[in-house]
Amino acid sequence: MSDRSHSLLEIRPIIPSAKVTEIMSSDERFQNQTLRPVIKLQNSLLLLVFQNYITKHKNSFYELGMNKRLIFIENAIQKDIKFRNSLKGIIIGQFTTEEYELYILNSSSLNKRMMQMVIERIKDQVQFFEKASLQAV
């Protein structure tokens, strides 16, 4: 294992609930061993990137009710290809070379898992954007 790979693994949070078993699919194993810790590690950056996305879209997010905000989050990540690719880069950039080699074997399926996890993480922290909008005033 390279120094880079070792360093990346050292800084990742441990997620006790991310179980890995023999009967798991390779995608599920990758999700629990790699995606969940990386997404958790990158959480604050993901929130700031989404906050910047809101700003670039004229802050229309703040005019929406809660249900529409959740839909806005989903649409931004699922339909804005440039934004989605940016989010993927934030996550993939934290992979070890060994993980990247596993990732490219089934990137389409893993990208779907990755983006769904990011959507859920941002939705679960939607209150962050309320605080951010109050600080901007």
Side-chain angles (χ1 to χ4, degrees), residues 54-118:
I54 291 169
T55 302
K56 284 189 172 190
H57 287 83
K58 313 280 190 257
N59 292 320
S60 61
F61 178 84
Y62 299 116
E63 298 164 11
L64 304 173
M66 184 55 70
N67 287 340
K68 297 250 184 189
R69 285 182 182 191
L70 299 177
I71 292 168
F72 182 97
I73 291 167
E74 273 191 56
N75 287 338
I77 295 171
Q78 289 177 343
K79 296 183 178 172
D80 187 329
I81 306 300
K82 285 173 70 174
F83 184 60
R84 185 172 68 223
N85 286 340
S86 175
L87 294 173
K88 282 193 287 189
I90 288 169
I91 296 163
I92 293 168
Q94 293 295 315
F95 289 177
T96 65
T97 52
E98 298 83 2
E99 289 167 337
Y100 183 73
E101 288 171 354
L102 288 172
Y103 164 78
I104 59 176
L105 295 175
N106 202 5
S107 61
S108 180
S109 170
L110 292 171
N111 284 338
K112 287 177 187 166
R113 286 178 183 261
M114 184 190 314
M115 290 302 102
Q116 197 55 47
M117 292 168 72
V118 170

